[in-house]
Structure formats: structure tokens, C-alpha cells
Amino acid sequence: MNALAHLQDKPEAEEEVLVVDFDNLSVISGVVSNVGEWGCRLTSPDIQELSKNIGIRPKDSDKLVKCQITSRKDSDAAVLFVKSTESFSDKRREKRNNVSIPVKISDFEGITEISGTIVDAGNNGCRVLAKSLPALPEEVLLTMKKFGKPVVAEFAWRNDTSGGLRLLWDRKVDGDEDEAPESEAASA
């Protein structure tokens, strides 16, 4: 049973909680109410800052209750308890490796460029630590010394100090069109 079970089926019962957002790694305070077997209501003036995957920690507990936000309106969210014991990071399509790779993140025009560090990486995505990521557009260029040319990526999520990026290997950077694909070059 989860740490909110003592509130279950008591429509008037509510309790202050701490909420951890697993997607953007932020923390807010809130109040849970209307706790049932499958979920609860979460209320906070900061509710709009939360993404989908969260953990709720009641005041007198040292454990988080895994949850997913299913809808939001004003300062309220409908929350579904996650019954699985699988961790959220295990739901990725691929394994991520812990790395520390310096990277330049920029818009396609090179007007805005931010220095950062890739801290975990896989074939299809990575997480970067950098300041002011919201200043960049959705699609960006990642430039690393070990790569001959920039890699196109799009933000899956971001906040002011970190972000998750999908790597778009099939996207060409302007200027790449002049190079013939390997199959065409081999037949020439």
C-alpha cells in the first residue's frame, strides 16, 4: 500500500506533500485530497510547472509515491498512482551511459550559443547541463570536438539548468546537401 493510504476514501481529508518532477527535476509543495485506490487530486499554485511523471512525498514519509499527472486545470491536477515497480528511467528505448562531454548548444543561425556538458548519452538522446536553455529554440545544433560536424537535436524537456534532447541523426545541417550519400558516391 502506498504512503497516502491513510487518506483513501476520505473525501474531505487532505495533506501537505512535497512533489518531485522526474522529467524536469523540479520540486514543489502541494496538497493532496480526494485520495482513492487509483489516484488523487493535487493542488498547488505551481502545478503548471510539473510534467507528467512525478513522485509525491507525504510529510511523515521517507518514500515517494510514483504518480502520473493525467490532466491539469488552474491550480489542480488529476493524478494516477503508478502500480508498476519499474523505474521511469527503465522505460527508455535504450540504455544511457554516464558521460562528461563538453558541448556547444546553438540555434541554426549561430546567434545564440550556450556551453554545457552532456552527462548521459545514448544512441537516440542525451541529457545536458547548461544554463539558460529556455533561450534556445526547440531544434538546436550540438557541437562536440570529437564529432566532425554538428548534430541536430530537439528538446524533449528543459528547464533553466538542464535538458533532455532527442538526437535527429537523419536531419541534415545546411551545407550538408552538397555531399552525396554513400550509396550514390559508391555507384558514381
PDB file of all heavy atoms in Angstrom, residues 38-58:
ATOM      1  N   TRP A  38      -6.931   4.485  -7.040  1.00  0.00           N
ATOM      2  CA  TRP A  38      -6.198   4.677  -8.286  1.00  0.00           C
ATOM      3  C   TRP A  38      -5.479   6.009  -8.391  1.00  0.00           C
ATOM      4  O   TRP A  38      -4.632   6.189  -9.258  1.00  0.00           O
ATOM      5  CB  TRP A  38      -7.155   4.525  -9.469  1.00  0.00           C
ATOM      6  CG  TRP A  38      -7.776   3.178  -9.475  1.00  0.00           C
ATOM      7  CD1 TRP A  38      -9.041   2.846  -9.063  1.00  0.00           C
ATOM      8  CD2 TRP A  38      -7.154   1.962  -9.855  1.00  0.00           C
ATOM      9  NE1 TRP A  38      -9.243   1.504  -9.185  1.00  0.00           N
ATOM     10  CE2 TRP A  38      -8.082   0.922  -9.676  1.00  0.00           C
ATOM     11  CE3 TRP A  38      -5.893   1.641 -10.343  1.00  0.00           C
ATOM     12  CZ2 TRP A  38      -7.807  -0.393  -9.965  1.00  0.00           C
ATOM     13  CZ3 TRP A  38      -5.615   0.315 -10.634  1.00  0.00           C
ATOM     14  CH2 TRP A  38      -6.565  -0.678 -10.443  1.00  0.00           C
ATOM     15  N   GLY A  39      -5.830   6.992  -7.531  1.00  0.00           N
ATOM     16  CA  GLY A  39      -5.189   8.295  -7.679  1.00  0.00           C
ATOM     17  C   GLY A  39      -5.708   9.307  -6.692  1.00  0.00           C
ATOM     18  O   GLY A  39      -6.339   8.951  -5.690  1.00  0.00           O
ATOM     19  N   CYS A  40      -5.435  10.581  -6.985  1.00  0.00           N
ATOM     20  CA  CYS A  40      -5.838  11.651  -6.078  1.00  0.00           C
ATOM     21  C   CYS A  40      -5.861  12.978  -6.832  1.00  0.00           C
ATOM     22  O   CYS A  40      -5.531  13.045  -8.006  1.00  0.00           O
ATOM     23  CB  CYS A  40      -4.869  11.737  -4.899  1.00  0.00           C
ATOM     24  SG  CYS A  40      -3.192  12.221  -5.356  1.00  0.00           S
ATOM     25  N   ARG A  41      -6.243  14.036  -6.104  1.00  0.00           N
ATOM     26  CA  ARG A  41      -6.171  15.400  -6.622  1.00  0.00           C
ATOM     27  C   ARG A  41      -4.938  16.037  -5.983  1.00  0.00           C
ATOM     28  O   ARG A  41      -4.670  15.847  -4.802  1.00  0.00           O
ATOM     29  CB  ARG A  41      -7.400  16.214  -6.248  1.00  0.00           C
ATOM     30  CG  ARG A  41      -7.251  17.684  -6.706  1.00  0.00           C
ATOM     31  CD  ARG A  41      -8.342  18.616  -6.205  1.00  0.00           C
ATOM     32  NE  ARG A  41      -9.655  18.159  -6.594  1.00  0.00           N
ATOM     33  CZ  ARG A  41     -10.670  17.979  -5.735  1.00  0.00           C
ATOM     34  NH1 ARG A  41     -10.522  18.243  -4.456  1.00  0.00           N
ATOM     35  NH2 ARG A  41     -11.834  17.563  -6.153  1.00  0.00           N
ATOM     36  N   LEU A  42      -4.189  16.774  -6.787  1.00  0.00           N
ATOM     37  CA  LEU A  42      -3.024  17.507  -6.298  1.00  0.00           C
ATOM     38  C   LEU A  42      -3.275  18.977  -6.567  1.00  0.00           C
ATOM     39  O   LEU A  42      -3.626  19.356  -7.686  1.00  0.00           O
ATOM     40  CB  LEU A  42      -1.752  17.041  -7.013  1.00  0.00           C
ATOM     41  CG  LEU A  42      -0.464  17.756  -6.667  1.00  0.00           C
ATOM     42  CD1 LEU A  42      -0.100  17.558  -5.195  1.00  0.00           C
ATOM     43  CD2 LEU A  42       0.669  17.260  -7.558  1.00  0.00           C
ATOM     44  N   THR A  43      -3.118  19.809  -5.526  1.00  0.00           N
ATOM     45  CA  THR A  43      -3.359  21.242  -5.652  1.00  0.00           C
ATOM     46  C   THR A  43      -2.095  21.999  -5.264  1.00  0.00           C
ATOM     47  O   THR A  43      -1.479  21.706  -4.240  1.00  0.00           O
ATOM     48  CB  THR A  43      -4.525  21.675  -4.734  1.00  0.00           C
ATOM     49  OG1 THR A  43      -5.678  20.881  -5.053  1.00  0.00           O
ATOM     50  CG2 THR A  43      -4.856  23.137  -4.921  1.00  0.00           C
ATOM     51  N   SER A  44      -1.719  22.967  -6.108  1.00  0.00           N
ATOM     52  CA  SER A  44      -0.565  23.815  -5.832  1.00  0.00           C
ATOM     53  C   SER A  44      -0.623  25.021  -6.759  1.00  0.00           C
ATOM     54  O   SER A  44      -1.024  24.892  -7.915  1.00  0.00           O
ATOM     55  CB  SER A  44       0.745  23.061  -6.071  1.00  0.00           C
ATOM     56  OG  SER A  44       1.846  23.932  -5.972  1.00  0.00           O
ATOM     57  N   PRO A  45      -0.186  26.202  -6.278  1.00  0.00           N
ATOM     58  CA  PRO A  45      -0.123  27.347  -7.187  1.00  0.00           C
ATOM     59  C   PRO A  45       0.931  27.137  -8.285  1.00  0.00           C
ATOM     60  O   PRO A  45       0.901  27.796  -9.311  1.00  0.00           O
ATOM     61  CB  PRO A  45       0.257  28.521  -6.281  1.00  0.00           C
ATOM     62  CG  PRO A  45       0.746  27.918  -5.003  1.00  0.00           C
ATOM     63  CD  PRO A  45       0.174  26.550  -4.913  1.00  0.00           C
ATOM     64  N   ASP A  46       1.840  26.162  -8.081  1.00  0.00           N
ATOM     65  CA  ASP A  46       2.911  25.889  -9.044  1.00  0.00           C
ATOM     66  C   ASP A  46       2.621  24.659  -9.905  1.00  0.00           C
ATOM     67  O   ASP A  46       3.527  24.123 -10.545  1.00  0.00           O
ATOM     68  CB  ASP A  46       4.235  25.667  -8.296  1.00  0.00           C
ATOM     69  CG  ASP A  46       4.611  26.857  -7.441  1.00  0.00           C
ATOM     70  OD1 ASP A  46       4.468  27.997  -7.926  1.00  0.00           O
ATOM     71  OD2 ASP A  46       5.037  26.650  -6.284  1.00  0.00           O
ATOM     72  N   ILE A  47       1.382  24.204  -9.954  1.00  0.00           N
ATOM     73  CA  ILE A  47       1.021  22.954 -10.637  1.00  0.00           C
ATOM     74  C   ILE A  47       1.415  22.963 -12.112  1.00  0.00           C
ATOM     75  O   ILE A  47       1.779  21.933 -12.664  1.00  0.00           O
ATOM     76  CB  ILE A  47      -0.488  22.640 -10.454  1.00  0.00           C
ATOM     77  CG1 ILE A  47      -0.737  21.141 -10.573  1.00  0.00           C
ATOM     78  CG2 ILE A  47      -1.349  23.366 -11.475  1.00  0.00           C
ATOM     79  CD1 ILE A  47      -0.433  20.394  -9.339  1.00  0.00           C
ATOM     80  N   GLN A  48       1.372  24.117 -12.772  1.00  0.00           N
ATOM     81  CA  GLN A  48       1.678  24.192 -14.209  1.00  0.00           C
ATOM     82  C   GLN A  48       3.157  23.940 -14.500  1.00  0.00           C
ATOM     83  O   GLN A  48       3.536  23.689 -15.636  1.00  0.00           O
ATOM     84  CB  GLN A  48       1.239  25.543 -14.787  1.00  0.00           C
ATOM     85  CG  GLN A  48      -0.254  25.799 -14.687  1.00  0.00           C
ATOM     86  CD  GLN A  48      -1.101  24.775 -15.422  1.00  0.00           C
ATOM     87  OE1 GLN A  48      -0.716  24.216 -16.441  1.00  0.00           O
ATOM     88  NE2 GLN A  48      -2.294  24.507 -14.895  1.00  0.00           N
ATOM     89  N   GLU A  49       4.029  23.995 -13.479  1.00  0.00           N
ATOM     90  CA  GLU A  49       5.455  23.730 -13.652  1.00  0.00           C
ATOM     91  C   GLU A  49       5.751  22.240 -13.800  1.00  0.00           C
ATOM     92  O   GLU A  49       6.832  21.858 -14.213  1.00  0.00           O
ATOM     93  CB  GLU A  49       6.262  24.277 -12.467  1.00  0.00           C
ATOM     94  CG  GLU A  49       6.263  25.780 -12.368  1.00  0.00           C
ATOM     95  CD  GLU A  49       7.042  26.267 -11.159  1.00  0.00           C
ATOM     96  OE1 GLU A  49       7.942  25.547 -10.683  1.00  0.00           O
ATOM     97  OE2 GLU A  49       6.739  27.373 -10.692  1.00  0.00           O
ATOM     98  N   LEU A  50       4.793  21.384 -13.420  1.00  0.00           N
ATOM     99  CA  LEU A  50       5.025  19.943 -13.412  1.00  0.00           C
ATOM    100  C   LEU A  50       4.800  19.312 -14.777  1.00  0.00           C
ATOM    101  O   LEU A  50       3.909  19.705 -15.515  1.00  0.00           O
ATOM    102  CB  LEU A  50       4.101  19.267 -12.389  1.00  0.00           C
ATOM    103  CG  LEU A  50       4.309  19.648 -10.933  1.00  0.00           C
ATOM    104  CD1 LEU A  50       3.263  18.964 -10.066  1.00  0.00           C
ATOM    105  CD2 LEU A  50       5.711  19.298 -10.464  1.00  0.00           C
ATOM    106  N   SER A  51       5.621  18.297 -15.080  1.00  0.00           N
ATOM    107  CA  SER A  51       5.443  17.483 -16.277  1.00  0.00           C
ATOM    108  C   SER A  51       4.571  16.285 -15.910  1.00  0.00           C
ATOM    109  O   SER A  51       3.833  16.351 -14.938  1.00  0.00           O
ATOM    110  CB  SER A  51       6.801  17.031 -16.801  1.00  0.00           C
ATOM    111  OG  SER A  51       7.565  18.141 -17.204  1.00  0.00           O
ATOM    112  N   LYS A  52       4.707  15.184 -16.614  1.00  0.00           N
ATOM    113  CA  LYS A  52       3.816  14.040 -16.421  1.00  0.00           C
ATOM    114  C   LYS A  52       4.220  13.131 -15.259  1.00  0.00           C
ATOM    115  O   LYS A  52       3.393  12.739 -14.450  1.00  0.00           O
ATOM    116  CB  LYS A  52       3.782  13.231 -17.721  1.00  0.00           C
ATOM    117  CG  LYS A  52       2.871  12.032 -17.671  1.00  0.00           C
ATOM    118  CD  LYS A  52       2.863  11.318 -18.997  1.00  0.00           C
ATOM    119  CE  LYS A  52       1.951  10.109 -18.939  1.00  0.00           C
ATOM    120  NZ  LYS A  52       1.891   9.397 -20.199  1.00  0.00           N
ATOM    121  N   ASN A  53       5.492  12.765 -15.165  1.00  0.00           N
ATOM    122  CA  ASN A  53       5.949  11.766 -14.200  1.00  0.00           C
ATOM    123  C   ASN A  53       6.432  12.432 -12.916  1.00  0.00           C
ATOM    124  O   ASN A  53       7.405  13.178 -12.931  1.00  0.00           O
ATOM    125  CB  ASN A  53       7.070  10.927 -14.808  1.00  0.00           C
ATOM    126  CG  ASN A  53       6.610  10.188 -16.036  1.00  0.00           C
ATOM    127  OD1 ASN A  53       5.619   9.475 -15.992  1.00  0.00           O
ATOM    128  ND2 ASN A  53       7.312  10.363 -17.138  1.00  0.00           N
ATOM    129  N   ILE A  54       5.749  12.136 -11.819  1.00  0.00           N
ATOM    130  CA  ILE A  54       6.063  12.789 -10.546  1.00  0.00           C
ATOM    131  C   ILE A  54       6.137  11.772  -9.413  1.00  0.00           C
ATOM    132  O   ILE A  54       5.696  10.638  -9.560  1.00  0.00           O
ATOM    133  CB  ILE A  54       5.021  13.878 -10.184  1.00  0.00           C
ATOM    134  CG1 ILE A  54       3.624  13.266 -10.005  1.00  0.00           C
ATOM    135  CG2 ILE A  54       5.018  14.995 -11.223  1.00  0.00           C
ATOM    136  CD1 ILE A  54       2.587  14.222  -9.420  1.00  0.00           C
ATOM    137  N   GLY A  55       6.694  12.220  -8.301  1.00  0.00           N
ATOM    138  CA  GLY A  55       6.677  11.466  -7.062  1.00  0.00           C
ATOM    139  C   GLY A  55       6.105  12.354  -5.977  1.00  0.00           C
ATOM    140  O   GLY A  55       6.445  13.538  -5.899  1.00  0.00           O
ATOM    141  N   ILE A  56       5.202  11.828  -5.175  1.00  0.00           N
ATOM    142  CA  ILE A  56       4.588  12.598  -4.089  1.00  0.00           C
ATOM    143  C   ILE A  56       5.113  12.038  -2.771  1.00  0.00           C
ATOM    144  O   ILE A  56       5.056  10.836  -2.540  1.00  0.00           O
ATOM    145  CB  ILE A  56       3.048  12.500  -4.139  1.00  0.00           C
ATOM    146  CG1 ILE A  56       2.524  13.149  -5.414  1.00  0.00           C
ATOM    147  CG2 ILE A  56       2.429  13.153  -2.903  1.00  0.00           C
ATOM    148  CD1 ILE A  56       1.015  13.029  -5.606  1.00  0.00           C
ATOM    149  N   ARG A  57       5.628  12.938  -1.917  1.00  0.00           N
ATOM    150  CA  ARG A  57       6.136  12.515  -0.609  1.00  0.00           C
ATOM    151  C   ARG A  57       5.307  13.162   0.489  1.00  0.00           C
ATOM    152  O   ARG A  57       5.355  14.370   0.685  1.00  0.00           O
ATOM    153  CB  ARG A  57       7.587  12.925  -0.437  1.00  0.00           C
ATOM    154  CG  ARG A  57       8.200  12.241   0.798  1.00  0.00           C
ATOM    155  CD  ARG A  57       9.542  12.773   1.126  1.00  0.00           C
ATOM    156  NE  ARG A  57       9.310  13.596   2.323  1.00  0.00           N
ATOM    157  CZ  ARG A  57      10.102  14.546   2.746  1.00  0.00           C
ATOM    158  NH1 ARG A  57      11.162  14.868   2.077  1.00  0.00           N
ATOM    159  NH2 ARG A  57       9.826  15.210   3.827  1.00  0.00           N
ATOM    160  N   PRO A  58       4.520  12.355   1.211  1.00  0.00           N
ATOM    161  CA  PRO A  58       3.770  12.892   2.356  1.00  0.00           C
ATOM    162  C   PRO A  58       4.744  13.367   3.439  1.00  0.00           C
ATOM    163  O   PRO A  58       5.885  12.914   3.512  1.00  0.00           O
ATOM    164  CB  PRO A  58       2.968  11.679   2.846  1.00  0.00           C
ATOM    165  CG  PRO A  58       2.928  10.742   1.678  1.00  0.00           C
ATOM    166  CD  PRO A  58       4.209  10.959   0.950  1.00  0.00           C
TER     167      PRO A  58
END
